[in-house]
Every structure is written in structure tokens, then in C-alpha cells.
């Protein structure tokens, strides 16, 4: 408990075997609506790269880049190197970082669905500003509002999905967020491919259509029920039980309900969750909240998704060919997420992360070798090697789509105890958006400076993150979200930070190793 005293320790024993219920149409519908928030995130990732390769857009807002792009004397790797252009992409993620921290308070005190609706409204405003942009300031303001929407959506949606899903299917249902993200990316790439032919205003249509998923998120979010965990945390015990019975399709929910009650007792005893999350017993979860989203971005995927058309044009692809290639990578990413949904609750998180990491390393190294040998500052790739690069990039995206793409969000969203869950998810989103911002802002300059070495740079990070998973990430498959704290006590390293307790109920508190703990 903040400010002194000893708080209850939350869930006191494992009850997972006693959980009853099934996957009801009600919970599937709720998860589908909530996951639309992911499509907003994905749509923006996909749309910005295509728009920044369109000549009318560059002529209006970034004429310097337009002239560099069409200059035959310009280094192929450096045609798009412009900090203003990078800021168009990255400003959204900086705004999202700040908004995600504010969203934690809203999510905890007012519920998950309120944050989802706030995110949808902010995104609607941003999409409108971008579509109507008359100058660079208006364009960037629209991006900032989009960032606020992403900050709220990415904070609340994964939490909502984790809390609504049954424990044995939590991974698959949680990945609805990532599936919606990949569908958003694919849709954006398809739209860019079509709107590039609408010469003077195609970019406005691309940016303005972001309002469609935003509208779905706003309306759908207002129709969603609040999660039982959140209702109980806010003191609405009876309503929380009613929702739990409805989404599990049974009245026999005593075990799961008791876990939620015990978790909420601790949650409500914590006045300052961000301060509490820094306590030693929460270090394992804090490590996951920092490293998992950081590694997800440092693997290099967003550089490909943000700048796929720009990247392919830098390699000598024509405008149509580059956008077509980005459509292909978007389709592969979308399809590979379905593989992860099918396997995550059978194979487990660790195997998918490690095997995906190995495939991603090999792909990055192969692309670096091809570009290092066959592509340079003043020479283009042959048709055969261009096809090879696209195929290897697709294999990279495939591996990311069934490993680090969805699991980079799933693992952090399911490992926090209720009292630090909103704060932990905010940290996860903030770290993800910080590194997304940093890579988006720096990538064009890094590409110019490192040339083909940029792919080796990302490959090095994938080696680090694969090793991290092998040694430090426990398997969370099938572990109820309210009993996740018990998992850390079994890990070879994290058990040193999370005290092993034997709790027995006693009048006035609980007994921990003979010592009475008062609430």
C-alpha cells in the first residue's frame, strides 16, 4: 500500500482447475469490436509510407524531398533523408506516448471501454484534419490527434481483450488486436495502391479513410460491456459477477470470481500504481513491460512497414512496383497472424518467439548480403535480385507476424496483477511508442548512413531479443491472468524478486510465514 502498511498479496492460491465456462458468442463479439482498435494502429502504419512516396503529397508539403527523389545525381540510399518528412510519420507516436500515460488513469478509474471510446473520438478528429490539411502545421496537428487516439486505444484494447478472454484461449483472442492491426496495414496498402492514380487528391483520400475504423471503434466501444475485472475494481461487485456469468455462459463462476475479488482488494489498496510497479516484487513484470515492446520495434519491422514503398523505391523499384510490393508484405503479415492465433494456445508463447526470431535473423542477414553485393549508391538491383529481396522481406514479415508481432503485445498485457495492470500496460505502450518514434524519425537517416548495414543492425537486435526470451520469459500459456503472479515464483531468476508465500486466512488479515498481514 502506498504510504505505509502492508497490502494484501492478491490471489492466494491456484484455482485455475476450478474455472468453468466456455467461449460464448457474446465474448467473441465483444473481442471483435474491441480489436477494431488495432485496425486504427495498423491503418496508420501502412498509410503513412505510401502517402510519403506520392509525388503530389511531396510537392505540397515536402518539395525538397520531391526534388531529391527525382534527381539522378542523388545517392539511392539518401533520396528520402529528410527530418521533416520523418517527423510526419514519427510525430504521431510521440503524441501517443504521452497520451498512453494519461490513458492509464482513465482506464483504471473509469474503465477500459471509456478509454476505447476516447481513442476513437481522437482518431476521428485527426483523420479529419489530415484529409483537409492545407499546410504542414495542420497536417502535423492531425497526426498528433491520431497519436492521442493510438495512445488510448493501445492502452485499453489489449487489457480489455485479456480480461474478457477465458484463460485457455486468452492468447488467441488477445491476438485479435494484432490481427486487426495487420488487416489495417493490408487495407492501407491496398488503398494507397489505388489512390496513387488520383493524382492531385489521392493522398487526402488515403489519410481521410482512417475515419472509418475510428468510427467503428467509437460506436462499437460505446456498445461494449465493461470487463468484470474493471467493474469489481471500481466496486461494482454484483454487476461484475453478472457480466462474468454472461461472458462465460454459466453461473458456476465462483473460482474465477473469487480470484477477481482477491485481486481487486489489492488493487484498491494501491493509491499510486506507477510507484508500486517499481517495487522489487514487480520487477519481473516491469522487465517484460520494457523489453518486450522495445525488442518488438528494434527488430526492424516498423521500418519496413512505415517505409516499404520508400524503401523499395530506394532499391530501384518503380512507383507502382514499390506500392505493389508493400501490398504483398501487408498480405503476408495479415496471413501469418492467423498462424499465430491457431498455434499460440497450443504451442505456447516461447516457442513461437524463439523460432520466429531465428527466421527473422536469417532474413535480415540475407537482405544485407544481397544489397551489399548487388546494390550501391549508383547502381540498381537487377530484376532477379529485386524479386529475391521482396521474397526474403516477405519471409521476414511472415516470421514477425506469427511471433513478435502479436506476442510483443500479448505477453505484457497478460502478466500484470490487477493493481498494476493499467500502469503496466501504459508503460508497455509508452515504451513501444517511444521506440517506434525513435526508429521512424531516424530510419531514413540511418538508411543513408548505414546503407545495407541497416539490416545487420536490426539483425543484431533480434539476436539479443531471442536470447532474452530463452532465458527470461516464462511460458504463460493457459495460466489464468489473476494467477500470473504465481508463475514468477517458479522461474529460475524471477523467483529471487517475488517472495514465495504460504498464506492462510486468519482473523484480521492473512498469515505469511507466521507473520500476520493487515489490510
Amino acid at each position: 500500500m502506498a504510504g505505509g502498511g502492508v497490502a494484501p498479496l492478491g490471489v492466494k492460491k491456484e484455482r485455475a482447475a476450478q474455472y468453468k465456462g466456455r467461449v460464448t458468442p457474446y465474448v467473441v463479439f465483444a473481442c471483435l469490436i474491441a480489436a477494431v482498435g488495432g485496425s486504427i494502429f495498423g491503418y496508420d502504419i501502412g498509410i503513412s509510407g505510401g502517402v510519403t512516396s506520392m509525388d503530389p503529397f511531396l510537392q505540397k508539403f515536402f518539395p525538397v524531398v520531391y526534388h531529391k527523389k527525382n534527381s539522378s545525381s542523388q545517392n539511392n540510399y539518401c533520396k528520402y533523408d529528410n527530418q521533416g518528412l520523418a517527423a510526419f510519420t514519427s510525430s504521431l507516436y510521440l503524441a501517443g506516448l504521452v497520451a498512453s500515460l494519461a490513458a492509464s488513469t482513465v482506464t483504471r478509474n473509469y474503465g477500459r471501454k471509456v478509454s476505447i471510446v476516447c481513442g476513437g473520438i481522437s482518431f476521428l478528429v485527426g483523420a479529419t484534419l489530415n484529409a483537409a490539411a492545407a499546410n504542414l502545421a495542420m497536417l502535423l496537428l492531425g497526426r498528433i490527434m491520431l497519436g492521442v487516439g493510438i495512445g488510448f486505444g493501445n492502452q485499453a484494447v489489449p487489457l480489455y481483450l485479456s480480461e474478457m478472454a477465458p484463460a485457455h484461449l486468452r492468447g488467441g483472442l488477445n491476438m485479435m488486436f494484432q490481427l486487426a492491426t495487420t488487416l489495417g496495414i493490408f487495407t492501407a496498402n491496398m488503398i494507397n495502391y489505388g489512390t496513387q492514380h488520383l493524382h492531385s487528391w489521392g493522398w487526402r483520400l488515403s489519410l481521410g479513410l482512417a475515419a472509418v475504423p475510428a468510427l467503428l471503434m467509437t460506436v462499437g466501444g460505446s456498445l461494449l460491456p465493461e470487463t468484470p475485472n474493471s467493474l469489481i475494481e471500481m466496486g461494482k461487485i454484483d454487476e461484475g459477477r453478472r457480466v462474468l456469468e454472461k461472458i462465460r455462459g454459466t453461473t458456476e463462476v465462483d473460482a474465477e470470481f473469487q480470484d477477481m475479488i482477491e485481486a481487486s482488494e489489492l488493487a484498491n489498496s494501491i493509491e499510486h500504481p506507477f510507484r508500486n510497479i517499481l517495487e522489487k516484487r514487480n520487477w519481473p513484470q516491469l522487465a517484460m513491460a520494457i523489453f518486450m515492446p522495445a525488442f518488438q520495434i528494434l527488430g526492424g519491422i516498423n521500418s519496413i512497414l512505415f517505409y516499404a514503398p520508400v524503401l523499395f523505391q530506394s532499391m530501384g523499384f518503380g512507383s507502382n512496383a514499390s506500392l505493389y510490393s508493400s501490398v504483398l508484405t501487408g498480405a503476408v503479415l495479415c496471413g501469418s497472424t492467423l498462424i499465430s492465433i491457431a498455434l499460440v494456445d497450443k504451442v505456447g508463447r516461447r516457442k513461437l518467439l524463439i523460432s520466429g526470431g531465428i527466421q527473422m535473423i536469417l532474413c535480415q542477414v540475407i537482405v544485407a548480403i544481397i544489397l551489399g553485393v548487388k546494390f550501391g549508391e549508383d547502381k540498381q538491383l537487377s530484376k532477379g535480385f529485386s524479386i529475391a529481396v521482396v521474397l526474403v522481406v516477405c519471409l521476414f514479415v511472415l516470421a514477425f507476424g506469427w511471433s513478435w508481432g502479436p506476442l510483443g503485445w500479448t505477453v505484457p498485457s497478460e502478466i500484470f496483477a490487477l493493481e498494476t495492470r493499467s500502469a503496466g500496460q501504459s508503460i508497455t505502450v509508452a515504451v513501444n511508442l517511444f521506440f517506434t518514434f525513435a526508429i521512424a524519425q531516424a530510419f531514413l537517416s540511418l538508411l543513408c548512413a548505414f546503407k545495407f548495414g541497416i539490416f545487420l543492425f536490426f539483425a543484431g537486435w533480434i539476436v539479443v531479443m531471442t536470447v532474452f526470451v530463452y532465458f527470461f520469459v516464462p511460458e504463460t500459456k493457459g495460466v489464468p491472468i489473476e494467477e500470473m503472479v504465481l508463475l514468477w515464483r517458479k522461474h529460475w531468476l524471477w523467483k529471487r524478486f517475488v517472495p514465495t508465500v504460504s498464506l492462510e486466512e486468519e482473523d484480521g488479515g492473512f498469515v505469511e510465514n507466521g507473520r500476520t498481514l493487515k489490510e
Side-chain angles (χ1 to χ4, degrees):
M1 179 182 298
V6 181
L9 296 182
V11 176
K12 299 185 282 296
K13 64 180 181 179
E14 296 186 34
R15 301 186 179 91
Q18 304 172 41
Y19 280 23
K20 300 290 179 66
R22 56 188 172 82
V23 180
T24 60
Y26 187 81
V27 73
V28 172
F29 174 75
C31 288
L32 284 172
I33 294 296
V36 170
S39 68
I40 291 180
F41 191 38
Y43 187 87
D44 181 77
I45 289 174
I47 211 72
S48 58
V51 166
T52 53
S53 70
M54 294 181 185
D55 284 348
F57 177 82
L58 293 175
Q59 282 180 297
K60 182 171 183 62
F61 297 107
F62 304 100
V64 173
V65 179
Y66 173 75
H67 292 302
K68 286 172 64 177
K69 171 186 174 182
N70 293 286
S71 172
S72 59
S73 62
Q74 184 65 47
N75 183 325
N76 284 327
Y77 283 108
C78 301
K79 287 185 175 182
Y80 289 89
D81 181 18
N82 180 273
Q83 289 301 297
L85 182 62
F88 165 74
T89 299
S90 66
S91 58
L92 179 149
Y93 303 100
L94 185 61
L97 189 162
V98 176
S100 68
L101 299 177
S104 171
T105 301
V106 175
T107 302
R108 186 176 191 230
N109 295 332
Y110 301 101
R112 284 52 165 156
K113 65 175 290 183
V114 172
S115 282
I116 292 174
V117 173
C118 286
I121 293 172
S122 298
F123 213 94
L124 271 171
V125 174
T128 303
L129 287 171
N130 272 179
N135 51 56
L136 185 58
M138 192 173 176
L139 187 72
L140 292 178
L141 179 60
R143 296 289 289 180
I144 290 171
M145 290 304 300
L146 295 177
V148 172
I150 281 179
F152 273 84
N154 285 16
Q155 205 279 340
V157 170
L159 277 187
Y160 187 92
L161 295 173
S162 286
E163 292 180 345
M164 291 291 281
H168 67 290
L169 292 175
R170 188 180 60 247
L173 288 177
N174 196 297
M175 285 182 183
M176 297 303 295
F177 178 79
Q178 179 66 15
L179 178 62
T181 300
T182 59
L183 284 170
I185 293 170
F186 176 68
T187 302
N189 288 333
M190 291 293 292
I191 288 172
N192 280 335
Y193 186 70
T195 58
Q196 66 171 325
H197 302 295
L198 305 174
H199 295 290
S200 61
W201 57 276
W203 61 270
R204 291 189 186 275
L205 182 60
S206 288
L207 295 176
L209 284 175
V212 175
L215 185 62
L216 289 174
M217 181 176 173
T218 305
V219 176
S222 65
L223 299 175
L224 290 176
E226 189 53 80
T227 70
N229 314 64
S230 182
L231 290 169
I232 293 170
E233 186 181 14
M234 292 187 290
K236 302 176 181 178
I237 309 298
D238 293 337
E239 186 179 349
R241 175 155 188 138
R242 283 196 299 272
V243 173
L244 182 61
E245 291 176 354
K246 192 170 185 178
I247 66 177
R248 297 294 179 256
T250 179
T251 58
E252 299 179 29
V253 295
D254 290 343
E256 187 172 3
F257 183 68
Q258 186 60 34
D259 273 354
M260 292 181 182
I261 290 291
E262 292 176 4
S264 70
E265 289 174 355
L266 176 55
N268 290 326
S269 73
I270 304 299
E271 296 177 10
H272 305 289
F274 279 101
R275 185 187 305 170
N276 181 263
I277 206 172
L278 298 177
E279 292 183 5
K280 185 177 179 179
R281 64 189 177 91
N282 290 319
W283 284 2
Q285 298 97 314
L286 182 61
M288 297 302 116
I290 293 173
F291 288 111
M292 292 295 289
F295 287 145
Q296 185 190 51
I297 304 305
L298 289 171
I301 185 64
N302 278 10
S303 300
I304 292 174
L305 298 179
F306 287 155
Y307 297 117
V310 169
L311 187 62
F312 287 128
Q313 281 195 31
S314 296
M315 294 176 189
F317 289 63
S319 177
N320 286 344
S322 65
L323 283 170
Y324 181 78
S325 299
S326 66
V327 168
L328 180 61
T329 57
V332 170
L333 180 62
C334 184
S336 62
T337 305
L338 296 175
I339 298 175
S340 190
I341 290 174
L343 295 179
V344 65
D345 288 312
K346 297 177 182 178
V347 175
R349 283 66 159 156
R350 280 171 50 84
K351 290 181 181 178
L352 290 178
L353 286 167
I354 292 171
S355 58
I358 292 171
Q359 183 172 324
M360 290 163 66
I361 293 166
L362 293 174
C363 291
Q364 292 277 30
V365 171
I366 291 171
V367 171
I369 291 173
I370 292 175
L371 295 183
V373 174
K374 296 296 182 179
F375 182 72
E377 297 181 1
D378 55 356
K379 59 182 179 180
Q380 307 292 329
L381 283 176
S382 67
K383 182 177 180 180
F385 280 107
S386 295
I387 293 173
V389 167
V390 172
L391 289 177
V392 176
V393 167
C394 285
L395 288 174
F396 172 84
V397 171
L398 178 70
F400 178 85
W402 51 257
S403 61
W404 279 90
L407 293 174
W409 290 108
T410 298
V411 173
S413 73
E414 67 184 1
I415 50 94
F416 282 97
L418 183 62
E419 73 272 14
T420 55
R421 195 168 296 157
S422 292
Q425 184 66 14
S426 282
I427 292 172
T428 299
V429 174
V431 171
N432 180 281
L433 293 176
F434 172 78
F435 281 94
T436 301
F437 161 75
I439 293 297
Q441 187 66 35
F443 177 73
L444 295 176
S445 296
L446 290 174
L447 180 64
C448 182
F450 289 179
K451 302 177 174 59
F452 66 89
I454 188 68
F455 295 96
L456 296 177
F457 171 78
F458 290 130
W461 279 111
I462 302 172
V463 171
V464 173
M465 66 202 217
T466 303
V467 171
F468 175 83
V469 170
Y470 183 82
F471 286 106
F472 303 118
V473 178
E475 182 54 67
T476 58
K477 179 185 70 172
V479 180
I481 192 169
E482 303 302 346
E483 295 183 8
M484 202 66 69
V485 64
L486 305 176
L487 183 67
W488 305 109
R489 295 174 185 152
K490 303 173 184 177
H491 189 270
W492 69 272
L493 174 65
W494 302 126
K495 66 182 180 182
R496 303 178 186 180
F497 303 98
V498 181
T500 301
V501 295
S502 177
L503 289 175
E504 299 177 359
E505 293 189 16
E506 188 177 86
D507 291 341
F510 306 108
V511 176
E512 174 194 356
N513 298 330
R515 181 168 63 92
T516 299
L517 305 179
K518 301 292 184 181
E519 293 193 20

